[in-house]
Each structure stands twice: as C-alpha cells, then as structure tokens.
Amino acid sequence: MAIIIDGKSVADKITEQLKQKLSQLQDKPHLAVIQIGNNAASTIYVNLKKKKAEEIGIKSTVINLDENIEEKELIRIIQELNKDNSIHAILVQLPLPKHINENKIIKTISAQKDVDGFTAQNTGDLLNGIKPKAYPCTPKGVLKLLKEYNIEIQGKHAVIVGRSNIVGKPLAIMLLNEHATVTICHSKTKNLQEITKQADILISAVGKKIIFKDMVKPDSVVIDVGIFKDENGKTTGDVDFENVKDIASYITPVPKGVGPMTIACLMENTIELFKNNKKRV
Ligand code: GUN
C-alpha cells in the first residue's frame, strides 16, 4: 500500500509561509489574471487563484474578456499591463478561443511579469539551465512534492505521459536539470505500457483515465497531474488510483494532490516577481 502524497497539506504549509512573508511587507504584490470567454473549468481555476491570492494578501485583478475579442485588442490589453507599474504578475488563463494564436499572446507578456514562466525568455533560460524569472507552476509543484517526501530524482527514470507546453515539456526539462533520465510519452507513442512499466517516477498529465495497474512498476512513485470530471460528475485524475495505490510506493490523489500545489506555486511566483521588480526600480 502506497504512501499517499498529501498535496493539500504541503500547499497549505506554503500558503502559511507566504502569508507570513507578506504580512511583513508594506507594499503588496498585484497579480492580473486574464480570462477570455467562460470556459467552465477556467472559471473554476481563476476563482481558486483569486481566492488564494486574497487569503495570502496578494492583490488580484481578474479581467474577463469576451469570447469574441479580437487578437489585436487582447495584445493591446497585455501591453498596457506590461507598462503598468502597479502590476507585478500577468497570467493569461489557457486554453484560448480558437481564433486567437496562443504563441502570439504568450510572446506579448513581459518576461519580468510572466508568472507562468511560459515566455520564450523564461522557457529558454530553463532549457539552458539558467534560473528563469518564474518556473511553470504545475511542474514546480510536482518537484516540490517529490522533494517534500524525500523522493530521490537523480539517476531515476522519470516517465512523463503528456507533452503539453504547460506541464509535460517544462517538467521534462526540470527533471533533467535534477539529473533524472527522462522519457516523454504522448498520443502517438507505441507500446505505452512497455515504457511506463520502466518508470521509477511515473507522471501522467493527459486529462483522461489512462494509467492502470498493469502499466505501473511495483514500488514506483506515481504522480497524477490530470484532473477532470468522470461520467458521474466526480472529480478524478488520469490514474486508476484505487488499484495503482496497492503497488506504488508513493501516489498523489485527485483532488488534493498536485492541484493545490499549482496554485501555491503561482502565489510564490507572484511574490518572487514582485520582489525582483522592486529590486529593479
Ligand atoms: N490552464 C491550465 N493550466 C494552466 C496554467 O498553469 N496556466 C495558465 N495560464 N493556464 C492554464
């Protein structure tokens, strides 16, 4: 029976520390969150971010924009936020409507305010082993969980299922920087099970039920980044938790696993950008 990694309590601990840190500061960080349209999942995430920011003492402004907003108008709004000295961190909630080019939007965000660590400068720094202004929140949260539970990364075979720009790709680089041997699997991977079975650390970030007991090496560490509603409307993850927990050494649940860590890391990134910004002026 695996040890259940309690992401919620690790995230709560980080929240407490951040609250303490901010209570000693006169000026407060200010996070701007842009949501375009009203994708139900995005609304839930944006509300969670706003609530957590309030709890910690971070100012947050949510900018709700119409689903049909023109790309150039969105770019103009981001440029305004880049120039606004009272804003320290900018987050554009993804996914974007189809008529808007995600890469173009991310390119517009100033690297100094890029709280997700998605811009070319920050991802490039990450790739080159230079500390970026901010690390992508979900990969950062996964690494913090592994460290909190003293799970060794160096020399281990980490298998990531999912190659998104938000999770899979940056997480692969971050694990590589921690000296893991990294394999990324995706929708075109042949013999997925053969590869996942080799994982010392198996991380799934797909968004559908894909990891079953016969795909997991006994005593491995299983991290579930997926979160979605099943056919009964219940929140669940990529991993068949009930069966996999019997053979893994460590496993994250969904909910209360990686999710709360993503938000805690977003808060930490906001405060870091704020502090760097103060140093520059
Ligand atoms: N949509 C899902 N996850 C994320 C994230 O980490 N950042 C942003 N901006 N959008 C997301």
Side-chain angles (χ1 to χ4, degrees), residues 27-183:
D27 289 350
K28 305 293 180 203
H30 191 172
L31 167 69
V33 178
I34 300 179
Q35 185 184 353
I36 297 119
N38 34 32
N39 174 301
S42 291
T43 301
I44 293 171
Y45 297 136
V46 167
N47 286 338
L48 285 171
K49 289 167 186 179
K50 188 175 161 59
K51 210 171 128 205
K52 187 58 74 181
E54 268 165 27
E55 183 189 339
I56 292 176
I58 293 173
K59 273 191 263 176
S60 69
T61 299
V62 177
I63 302 168
N64 283 107
L65 300 171
D66 191 89
E67 178 83 30
N68 299 313
I69 187 168
E70 273 188 52
E71 189 179 85
K72 66 170 193 285
E73 174 61 5
L74 177 57
I75 288 174
R76 193 194 60 76
I77 291 168
I78 295 170
Q79 285 168 339
E80 288 298 315
L81 294 170
N82 285 342
K83 278 189 274 177
D84 184 341
N85 289 331
S86 73
I87 299 285
H88 309 102
I90 302 170
L91 182 146
V92 179
Q93 187 65 31
L94 304 175
L96 297 175
K98 287 209 169 53
H99 69 281
I100 295 176
N101 181 325
E102 187 177 296
N103 284 324
K104 234 173 163 176
I105 297 308
I106 289 170
K107 265 191 206 292
T108 307
I109 302 170
S110 149
Q112 273 78 23
K113 299 190 180 186
D114 170 24
V115 75
D116 274 315
F118 289 167
T119 61
Q121 185 184 323
N122 286 322
T123 54
D125 280 351
L126 184 65
L127 200 61
N128 290 321
I130 300 167
K131 190 175 183 291
K133 308 284 180 233
Y135 289 93
C137 303
T138 301
K140 184 177 180 178
V142 170
L143 257 75
K144 274 186 190 281
L145 283 181
L146 295 175
K147 289 186 179 167
E148 182 72 23
Y149 281 79
N150 294 316
I151 295 165
E152 205 178 351
I153 301 173
Q154 180 167 321
K156 300 292 179 191
H157 187 188
V159 174
I160 302 168
V161 186
R163 56 174 157 177
S164 70
N165 290 344
I166 296 178
V167 183
K169 285 190 221 167
L171 181 56
I173 305 302
M174 287 165 75
L175 287 166
L176 203 53
N177 289 347
E178 296 285 333
H179 314 292
T181 301
V182 181
T183 302

Side-chain angles (χ1 to χ4, degrees), residues 13-27:
K13 204 166 80 181
I14 295 169
T15 297
E16 269 318 302
Q17 287 164 354
L18 297 178
K19 226 190 270 184
Q20 276 294 321
K21 221 185 239 184
L22 277 195
S23 67
Q24 288 153 16
L25 297 179
Q26 207 122 58
D27 289 350

